[in-house]
Amino acid sequence: MYAVIFKAKINKLDKVYSEMAKRMRELAINKYGCTEFISVTEGTQEMAISYWKNQEQIKQWKENSEHLVAQKLGRSTWYKSYNVQVVEVIREYSNNT
């Protein structure tokens, strides 16, 4: 399993951002096989973590034409800066009682 960790410093978020974020989550899960997608915004920081079965799914999602538009808007409007990490999940455990 892999995770994509997206961290950003927010410039300004608007209605287009909210709609685009919802659409990106739907695409990731429904078209590209993302198993979970979580995002949190606090103050001027945003973090999103998505989980994937393999790197090919991540690559296909990253290259999706709608996602490319979202990336461009992120760079030009919504974010001051951002960082993306693709990591392999080595171990997972939980206490689901």
Side-chain angles (χ1 to χ4, degrees), residues 22-35 52 61:
K22 180 180 176 185
R23 176 67 180 144
M24 291 303 99
R25 177 182 281 110
E26 290 171 355
L27 265 178
I29 292 170
N30 297 325
K31 186 170 182 181
Y32 294 103
C34 175
T35 59
W52 306 80
W61 178 63

Side-chain angles (χ1 to χ4, degrees), residues 42-79:
E42 183 176 316
T44 60
Q45 302 290 318
E46 178 178 331
M47 179 178 280
I49 303 174
S50 55
Y51 294 92
W52 306 80
K53 293 176 185 167
N54 59 60
Q55 293 184 63
E56 185 59 30
Q57 291 174 322
I58 297 167
K59 182 177 183 255
Q60 290 175 357
W61 178 63
K62 183 181 186 304
E63 295 173 352
N64 171 276
S65 61
E66 289 180 77
H67 193 194
L68 291 172
V69 170
Q71 291 170 51
K72 184 176 179 180
L73 286 167
R75 287 188 297 271
S76 67
T77 305
W78 300 324
Y79 303 119

